[in-house]
Every structure is written in C-alpha cells, then in structure tokens.
Amino acid sequence: MSIIFIILVLTLLFTFIKIRQYQIEVRAARFDKQRADIVNKIAKCISSELAPNQIITIALKDIAQYFPMYRVSYSTISPQGILSVHSCIPTENSPSIEGIEADLTIAPQYLAALKKQKILAIDDVETNSLIAPLKDAMIEGKTRAVLDAPINVKNNVVGLFCLDSASTQHWSASEIEIIKEVTSYIEIAIRQANYVIDIEQMAAKLKKYNHSLEEQVKARTAEIEIAKKKAETLALTDELTQLPNRRAFYQMAECQHSQAVRYCHSYCVMMFDIDNFKSINDTFGHAAGDKVLCSLADLVRKIIRKSDVIGRIGGEEFAMMLPETEIEEAKDMAERLRAHVEQCQVKFEQQTIRFTLSIGVAQQPDYKQSFDSILAQADTVLYQAKASGRNKVNCIA
C-alpha cells in the first residue's frame, strides 16, 4: 500500500511539474507573441513614415496594455538636464505626471548613468543612491520603482521611455528586454525623422543658395548691361558737348541717306564752325574755349528738330543732317542758328565772350551721290563763307 501511495504521489508531483512547466512555456510564448506584436506594430509605423511623436504615442498605448499594472510615460531631456514629461498613461493607483518637469542636475549620478545610455532598473527609489536627491518628489508622485530606458540620438540622450510602479518592484529580464527593444525602434524613428529634416533643410538651403546665386547673376548681368550701354554711349558721344561724336554722326547720317535714296526723299546737310576759335583759346584759355563749345551745343539742341541728326565732327566743327528738308528751309534754320549764336554771351571768370558761326548748307542734288560727297559740298561752301567775311550762311543747291 505504501508503495502504491508513493507511486501515486510521484505521479501527481510529476504531473504538477509538467503542468507548471507547460504553463511557464505558454506564458513565455504568449509574452513573446505580445512582444513581437508590439515591435512589429512599431516597425510598421516607422516604415509608413509616421512622425516620431505618433510612433511614441502608439508605443505608449501598446506598452500600457501589455503592462497595465505600470504607469507608462515618455519624457525629453534638454541639454541643460531638464526632464519634461510629454506623454503619460497612468494606472488606477498612479496619477498622470504629464507636464511635470524635473531638474536632473540635482542627481548628477542618475543623470550621468542615463547619459551613458544604460537602462536603469530601480527596484526601490527609497534605497537607491543614484536617485536619492529625487526620491521625495518621486514618492510623492506615487513612484516607488522605475524602469528608465534612455533614447539616444547622435550620441546624445534626448528622451526617456519609462515604466514606474507605485510599489517596490523587481524588474524581470523580459520587462527590461521589451522596453529596450521598443526604445531602440523609437531611436530609429527619431533618427529617420531627423534625417528627413536634415535633407529638407539642406534642400531649403540649396534652394535659397540657388535663388541668391540667380539674383546675383541677374544683378551682375544688369550691371554688365548698364556698363555695356554706358560704354556704347561713351563710344558714340562727344565727352565735352554730349552731342553725338563723328562716328555716331556718320552712322546715323548714312542710315538717313539710305532711307532718302530708297524713298526718293530730299535732305540737306549743314556744316558750321566757330569763327576765330583759336583766338578765343589764345585769349581766354582752353577752359573758356570748352565753355564756348558747350554753349553752342546747348543752342543747337534748342533749335534742331527731333528728326535732325547733329554731331561734333572736329575741334570746333559741327555737322547737321536735315531729313526731308528743302534748301530754303535749311537756309532759314541756318540763319536762325547763326543769329542766336551772334546774340549769345558766354560768361567766364567775370569776362564775357562773344562768338559767331560760319555755316555752309548743301542739298542732295540727286540720288546718285554719296553722303560724303554732299557733306564735302557743305564743307566747301562753309569755307567760302569764312573767306567772304565769316558770320555768314552760304548755300549750294
């Protein structure tokens, strides 16, 4: 009987051990499945490019469901060591700590341990030396045991994923492992988000740089264009009188000549220069002579029409082309110019300078002659005017 009893006891004990082993295996399998579900869910969130704060919110909810006996929270840590609780899922026995801030610099050993990126499993805050300076505040907030998982980005601790209990707690290896794994995925999400931000910032900087470069090129192109136009103007403008120079006059006159020949229009050419200009220079100086030339240019501008072509072609010598003008009309204009000059008084260093013009006028006789030949005719009658006493208008049709 005793042998049968012993066999029965041993059988029951063996069965109990098997059942207990089975229960442990089932619990472990269930734990592994739940852990895999949480991790896979977070991994999918990362692959779907959700923002880190969204992934953290999902992770908090899943961990809170997995560990309903613990308060779950996420905090950030500033470079100055200030911890700020951003999200919290409390329990029935522990209130929410969301929005609370704490200065971790008063617990330098605890802060240093976090910066070493180590998971801290504190079974009892009242007896742990690392967290001693924060003990009273934590106990008041219903925290007696805490499991901290620092979040590391670019070798800096930027956040803290935390489980805490209102009673002392011996943190198991499986609890530490799942928090460690979840934290690693949150780090990946933050690094991925920072990478995207860095790329966007680089793209924005590149766009800004390209825009700045384009603006600089536009500005430089405008400067070059202005300088080019200025150079072209200078190349075609008499520096002293600001009238077209010899080159510009010939270009414009030849163009008008071609138009006149093409459409059988008449034109006249006027040549004039200042009488005894050398005497003015010798008597009053070259500065006075320059002022006389400028005064003559101003008078000419007042008399000529918009269609007329004027130019300084020599020292004191000027030429004018009068499109679609007959000889009598040209002669009247020349006489009017001569009269205005005769009445002109140039003030220079408390002296009054008077001067006169001799003018030669020629008309295009037919459409076979070149502009140069007509200009030469005007030049010839100009010198005839000078030879006959100066201050005269002389014409040839």
Side-chain angles (χ1 to χ4, degrees), residues 122-231:
I122 298 174
D123 298 341
D124 188 352
V125 299
E126 194 164 6
T127 60
N128 189 281
S129 60
L130 288 179
I131 211 161
L134 300 168
K135 175 184 66 175
D136 293 340
M138 295 182 76
I139 291 175
E140 185 180 348
K142 303 295 183 182
T143 298
R144 188 64 185 268
V146 63
L147 179 60
D148 287 334
I151 296 171
N152 170 49
V153 176
K154 295 181 179 179
N155 295 321
N156 289 312
V157 175
V158 297
L160 197 63
F161 203 85
C162 177
L163 297 181
D164 70 85
S165 172
S167 59
T168 58
Q169 176 70 32
H170 175 71
W171 300 103
S172 67
S174 60
E175 290 171 333
I176 293 172
E177 184 62 29
I178 191 169
I179 293 301
K180 183 178 180 180
E181 198 164 1
V182 168
T183 301
S184 67
Y185 275 95
I186 291 174
E187 289 177 351
I188 292 171
I190 294 175
R191 283 198 295 268
Q192 179 176 288
N194 287 344
Y195 175 75
V196 172
I197 291 171
D198 289 343
I199 293 297
E200 290 176 347
Q201 288 177 344
M202 287 176 63
K205 287 180 180 178
L206 183 60
K207 183 178 180 180
K208 184 177 180 181
Y209 173 77
N210 286 338
H211 178 72
S212 175
L213 190 61
E214 287 175 2
E215 291 301 314
Q216 291 178 27
V217 170
K218 286 180 182 178
R220 184 57 181 156
T221 302
E223 289 175 3
I224 292 172
E225 191 63 28
I226 291 171
K228 180 182 176 183
K229 289 181 178 178
K230 186 176 180 180

Side-chain angles (χ1 to χ4, degrees), residues 13-32:
L13 181 61
F14 178 77
T15 302
F16 175 78
I17 292 171
K18 282 293 185 181
I19 292 172
R20 182 62 178 168
Q21 184 178 358
Y22 174 75
Q23 289 175 337
I24 292 171
E25 290 175 353
V26 169
R27 192 179 298 113
R30 187 181 296 115
F31 175 83
D32 288 341

Side-chain angles (χ1 to χ4, degrees), residues 319-334:
M320 188 186 303
M321 182 182 187
L322 313 173
E324 300 187 29
T325 304
E326 299 298 330
I327 190 66
E328 289 301 322
E329 186 181 358
K331 183 179 178 181
D332 289 343
M333 182 180 287

Side-chain angles (χ1 to χ4, degrees), residues 191-297:
R191 283 198 295 268
Q192 179 176 288
N194 287 344
Y195 175 75
V196 172
I197 291 171
D198 289 343
I199 293 297
E200 290 176 347
Q201 288 177 344
M202 287 176 63
K205 287 180 180 178
L206 183 60
K207 183 178 180 180
K208 184 177 180 181
Y209 173 77
N210 286 338
H211 178 72
S212 175
L213 190 61
E214 287 175 2
E215 291 301 314
Q216 291 178 27
V217 170
K218 286 180 182 178
R220 184 57 181 156
T221 302
E223 289 175 3
I224 292 172
E225 191 63 28
I226 291 171
K228 180 182 176 183
K229 289 181 178 178
K230 186 176 180 180
E232 289 174 348
T233 301
L234 290 174
L236 299 173
T237 303
D238 176 58
E239 186 176 359
L240 178 63
T241 63
Q242 296 302 302
L243 292 175
N245 60 18
R246 183 184 183 89
R247 175 186 172 190
F249 173 76
Y250 270 91
Q251 286 180 354
M252 293 184 288
E254 287 287 359
C255 181
Q256 290 285 354
H257 172 78
S258 297
Q259 292 290 317
V261 171
R262 181 176 181 180
Y263 297 107
C264 299
H265 291 167
S266 176
Y267 69 83
C268 290
V269 175
M270 186 187 302
M271 289 280 289
F272 54 93
D273 70 6
I274 299 172
D275 296 326
N276 299 314
F277 184 69
K278 183 176 182 302
S279 177
I280 294 174
N281 282 334
D282 292 343
T283 304
F284 300 100
H286 288 281
D290 289 346
K291 191 166 185 180
V292 168
L293 289 169
C294 291
S295 298
L296 175 58

Side-chain angles (χ1 to χ4, degrees), residues 349-363:
E349 294 181 355
Q350 299 180 345
Q351 299 182 78
T352 300
I353 304 173
R354 303 178 70 94
F355 64 99
T356 59
L357 288 184
S358 293
I359 305 174
V361 183
Q363 183 177 19

